[in-house]
Amino acid sequence: MLDWMKWSQSSDHLPASQGSRFPNIVKLTALERQVFDFLGYQWAPILANFLHIIIVILGLFGTIQYRPRYIVVYTIWTAVWVTWNIFIICFYLEVGGLSKDSELLTFNISRHQSWWSENGPGCVRKEASMSGIKGLKSHSYISVVGCALEYRYIEVVHSSFQILIALVGFVYACYVVSVFTEEEDSFDFIGGFDPFPLYHVNEKPTNLLFKQTYLLISPAGFSGMKGMKKWTPQGVKLPRLTPRLQGEADVAILG
């Protein structure tokens, strides 16, 4: 209940359009990339995309349910995600000794390449039988021609877009955390809705306390009570009020 009230106060400061659209954009772009990596059997990107989707859902949950720690986890992950996409760009552009024809992204399990290498825009896939070669009768030679854009540039565009989305997500997450932190500090400053306050104030009326005191110290307060002698130690006499105090006590009781 307390977290919901904090969130209701904080949500007033968050941009409604960004709060509803941006997480959906991040999830859709991650899912789109995951689908094409599955089609190309790119196991390393598949694993990275799966972790990215999980962290995005965690960050969205933290935004909705007022969990700043989950949003902090997302901000840390964005740095890792940007680093990963920079590596993918370097891999397909063959920077730093990397080769796009290597089996690094498939963990050396298969020789599959990106799905876009055979299904890019304008690409025409041709198969040539190798029946004339001994031992390769069941195999065929596949060639791809007519591609309007080479597949590695498509992968570079994908990774660049993911970096842009991650940077925007990092800024937005930092903004949300700052809003939550400010609202939490101001909420705690005014006391919030703490059912157990640090300083307990006794709200009993003064005349009621005076009545209780009078009943304890005045013999008249015990008149009519049986067994009073059992409660009073031997040799101890109950104090008697002076006429002045007696009159004030009676007035307090009547009041």
Side-chain angles (χ1 to χ4, degrees):
M1 180 65 179
L2 184 58
D3 290 341
W4 180 86
M5 298 191 71
K6 289 180 179 180
W7 160 244
S8 63
Q9 293 178 354
S10 301
S11 59
D12 297 337
H13 300 275
L14 298 178
S17 58
Q18 293 183 3
S20 59
R21 297 178 182 177
F22 180 75
N24 294 329
I25 294 175
V26 176
K27 288 188 295 183
L28 288 176
T29 55
L31 289 173
E32 179 266 340
R33 188 172 184 179
Q34 182 75 310
V35 169
F36 289 114
D37 286 335
F38 260 116
L39 293 175
Y41 301 98
Q42 304 294 296
W43 303 116
I46 287 172
L47 180 60
N49 294 332
F50 178 75
L51 292 176
H52 180 60
I53 293 172
I54 295 297
I55 299 299
V56 169
I57 295 175
L58 187 66
L60 180 61
F61 176 80
T63 304
I64 296 175
Q65 296 294 327
Y66 189 81
R67 297 292 187 272
R69 293 182 180 179
Y70 295 167
I71 306 176
V72 171
V73 172
Y74 171 75
T75 57
I76 296 174
W77 170 254
T78 53
V80 179
W81 185 243
V82 168
T83 304
W84 167 255
N85 283 278
I86 292 175
F87 167 76
I88 294 296
I89 292 174
C90 294
F91 177 81
Y92 282 106
L93 294 180
E94 298 181 340
V95 177
L98 297 173
S99 175
K100 62 182 177 58
D101 297 324
S102 65
E103 302 174 6
L104 184 62
L105 298 184
T106 59
F107 296 133
N108 295 324
I109 298 177
S110 63
R111 297 186 61 85
H112 289 88
Q113 292 182 339
S114 171
W115 181 82
W116 297 103
S117 62
E118 299 179 4
N119 301 275
C123 294
V124 178
R125 187 173 181 268
K126 295 182 178 181
E127 295 185 10
S129 177
M130 303 180 69
S131 58
I133 302 177
K134 184 179 181 181
L136 298 176
K137 293 182 179 181
S138 59
H139 293 75
S140 60
Y141 177 77
I142 300 175
S143 61
V144 180
V145 295
C147 294
L149 184 64
E150 194 174 351
Y151 75 94
R152 62 174 179 171
Y153 296 118
I154 298 177
E155 293 289 351
V156 168
V157 171
H158 268 90
S159 297
S160 301
F161 184 71
Q162 289 295 326
I163 292 175
L164 178 62
I165 291 294
L167 293 177
V168 175
F170 177 82
V171 174
Y172 180 74
C174 292
Y175 170 71
V176 173
V177 171
S178 64
V179 170
F180 284 170
T181 303
E182 291 177 1
E183 292 294 333
E184 186 176 4
D185 292 342
S186 61
F187 192 82
D188 293 338
F189 177 75
I190 63 176
F193 294 91
D194 189 2
F196 303 102
L198 182 61
Y199 300 102
H200 178 71
V201 179
N202 194 341
E203 298 180 353
K204 285 186 175 182
T206 307
N207 57 349
L208 181 58
L209 295 174
F210 187 81
K211 290 179 183 179
Q212 294 176 352
T213 307
Y214 171 73
L215 291 175
L216 290 176
I217 66 174
S218 174
F222 298 103
S223 60
M225 296 183 61
K226 298 180 180 180
M228 183 57 201
K229 293 182 179 180
K230 296 181 180 180
W231 298 350
T232 305
Q234 295 181 359
V236 177
K237 295 182 179 180
L238 294 173
R240 298 186 62 86
L241 296 176
T242 62
R244 178 173 173 271
L245 293 176
Q246 180 70 33
E248 293 178 356
D250 293 337
V251 172
I253 294 176
L254 292 175

